Amino acid sequence: PAFKPYYHATMQQVAAAMAMCEGECFPLRAKATELGGILAVVGERELFDPDYEAFVSQALEGLKLDSNEIREYSYGAFANISELYKGERPDLIQRVLPLLLESCDAKDDGGHGVHMESAEGPAGLPAAAVVGADSDDEEEDDFFAVRTAWLDEKSSAVHCVGTFASGMGAAFEPYLERCLTSMAALQNYFHEDVRQNLQPCLQKLFMVSYLAYTEPMRVNAGPAADQILHPSTAMLLDTIMDEYLRTLQHDDDKETVAQACEALSAICPVVKGFCLQKYLANMMNGMEMLVSEKAPCQGQDEEEEEEDDDHDHILIDAVSELLGVLAATWGPSFAAHFERLFPLLQKFLKPSRQASDRLMAIGCIAECCSHLKEAAVPYILPM
């Protein structure tokens, strides 16, 4: 609210920068587009409504330029606008979604994305793919470099698809199948940035199916409502649960696994335990690996240990949150599964562990025990 008095003057500057078409101005245009999306959120509909059409049209013009960076930041701006209007601007998805899916489906440098480049950029390989070359290092040998611009574009596109799905809810259903096709092709994508955004995107696409098909059936189903899933929702649940369970047990990136845990934490309270029962054993196998710190994403070199501390905390917090959600979903019947994890959680209580680890373990055990009720007694006494 404190920024609202400056909204109009700032948006005028944004519009001027977004009109620049010279190649050297592309980074400025990209950042201006990002700022415009932020201003939409800050100004809210009261201030942004008059600028909506001009801004969207100018941003769409920017997508025609040969700039991954402009596309990346434009998709971020469209995501903000989608959150602001929550499906009340159907023209937005009709104009933007085909472009998002084009970026999602695009083949990246032959599907490899990693180039071995010499400092001089050998023939046959795009010199633009070289990142991090330093003029002071002329005598260094060949090095690996990853061109990240198209990765950022693809990652931003996946995020934006999920935001549209979340904002529109059941109204997104006509676009669901096409979006699922694009997301399915990215499940094994080589770069973690894309896989990280894919996890919440799949959860939001699932919610579209749930809201469109299953929720209307459950409304009038009485006591048996929690046992009902529309066939279309059930098929999609099978698909995304396979992806999440594979991610928990096999993905080597901590933040991707953390995002999968958070997506499962969002799905379980909605779907309920009866319809999730067939996945529980595999979920517990994944939880056991993660709490034991033996999952592929938890292997690291000693040199990387300090850098990975933040990622460790993000991951273990997501795991502990999911355990609490599982306990809440199944109630006292979860006790048999918690019995496997309780000894593993206790190791986080050792004095040698960081205070954050001890607090996490105490909170996780307390949360689980609160849902186990009388079945929690064996776990409370040792504490």
Side-chain angles (χ1 to χ4, degrees):
F3 192 81
K4 284 187 176 181
Y6 310 100
Y7 169 87
H8 292 295
T10 309
M11 186 59 87
Q12 289 176 2
Q13 297 299 318
V14 165
M18 288 178 65
M20 297 178 178
C21 297
E22 298 80 9
E24 62 269 21
C25 295
F26 284 177
L28 175 59
R29 181 167 182 160
K31 286 294 186 178
T33 306
E34 178 188 33
L35 177 55
I38 295 170
L39 287 172
V41 176
V42 171
E44 301 178 327
R45 295 180 59 168
E46 172 192 0
L47 296 179
F48 185 69
D49 274 349
D51 294 320
Y52 170 83
E53 181 56 39
F55 179 84
V56 170
S57 297
Q58 194 64 56
L60 288 170
E61 285 298 311
L63 296 181
K64 298 177 182 178
L65 301 173
D66 184 19
S67 171
N68 301 105
E69 190 175 13
I70 288 177
R71 285 190 286 274
E72 173 198 350
Y73 287 111
S74 296
Y75 295 157
F78 289 136
N80 284 345
I81 295 171
S82 174
E83 288 183 340
L84 179 64
Y85 287 100
K86 298 191 180 302
E88 295 182 26
R89 291 278 192 174
D91 67 294
L92 185 64
I93 190 168
Q94 294 164 6
R95 299 159 77 181
V96 175
L97 186 62
L99 302 170
L100 294 174
L101 297 178
E102 184 178 331
S103 292
C104 291
D105 297 341
K107 300 300 180 184
D108 311 312
D109 295 286
H112 302 291
V114 178
H115 305 274
M116 277 193 300
E117 300 276 0
S118 74
E120 297 182 4
L125 292 175
V130 182
V131 172
D134 189 332
S135 60
D136 295 329
D137 299 330
E138 295 178 357
E139 297 181 1
E140 291 188 1
D141 295 330
D142 289 358
F143 61 96
F144 286 99
V146 180
R147 182 184 178 186
T148 62
W150 45 266
L151 288 173
D152 294 334
E153 174 191 334
K154 189 180 293 287
S155 179
S156 183
V158 172
H159 168 73
C160 193
V161 170
T163 304
F164 271 117
S166 178
M168 295 182 65
F172 192 83
E173 189 277 333
Y175 313 101
L176 181 59
E177 185 175 353
R178 175 65 183 86
C179 291
L180 287 170
T181 299
S182 291
M183 297 308 114
L186 299 176
Q187 289 178 356
N188 295 307
Y189 198 76
F190 82 96
H191 201 276
E192 64 273 12
D193 285 358
V194 175
R195 300 199 308 275
Q196 286 168 17
N197 280 342
L198 178 64
Q199 310 307 311
C201 183
L202 289 174
Q203 179 263 324
K204 292 167 183 175
L205 291 172
F206 169 78
M207 285 304 301
V208 171
S209 177
Y210 176 86
L211 294 171
Y213 299 123
T214 295
E215 187 176 63
M217 296 172 61
R218 287 188 171 188
V219 168
N220 300 312
D226 292 351
Q227 301 178 18
I228 296 174
L229 273 185
H230 187 279
S232 296
T233 307
M235 289 179 60
L236 180 54
L237 183 63
D238 281 340
T239 299
I240 67 167
M241 288 301 294
D242 285 346
E243 166 63 11
Y244 287 142
L245 294 172
R246 182 193 65 79
T247 298
L248 294 186
Q249 298 185 39
H250 299 293
D251 201 289
D252 60 2
D253 177 64
K254 293 175 182 176
E255 290 196 44
T256 300
V257 176
Q259 290 287 345
C261 289
E262 291 180 9
L264 287 168
S265 293
I267 288 172
C268 288
V270 174
V271 177
K272 309 296 184 185
F274 182 88
C275 296
L276 290 168
Q277 189 64 40
K278 64 180 179 180
Y279 313 109
L280 182 56
N282 281 332
M283 274 197 283
M284 294 312 300
N285 290 337
M287 291 291 97
E288 187 171 0
M289 289 177 64
L290 289 163
V291 177
S292 301
E293 299 180 289
K294 294 180 179 178
C297 67
Q298 292 165 309
Q300 60 185 24
D301 298 330
E302 290 184 6
E303 296 178 2
E304 300 175 351
E305 188 170 349
E306 187 174 342
E307 296 179 11
D308 280 356
D309 279 349
D310 289 342
H311 300 288
D312 288 333
H313 294 149
I314 292 171
L315 175 59
I316 202 62
D317 285 349
V319 170
S320 64
E321 179 186 358
L322 177 54
L323 284 175
V325 169
L326 295 176
T329 301
W330 274 274
S333 64
F334 188 70
H337 302 283
F338 187 67
E339 183 178 5
R340 295 165 52 187
L341 297 176
F342 182 66
L344 302 176
L345 287 167
Q346 284 184 302
K347 73 178 183 180
F348 290 96
L349 298 173
K350 294 179 180 179
S352 58
R353 300 296 297 233
Q354 295 182 21
S356 58
D357 287 345
R358 298 197 297 274
L359 289 171
M360 176 279 300
I362 292 170
C364 181
I365 293 170
E367 176 70 15
C368 290
C369 287
S370 71
H371 300 295
L372 298 181
K373 302 190 182 302
E374 292 83 359
V377 173
Y379 310 112
I380 295 174
L381 293 177
M383 297 290 289

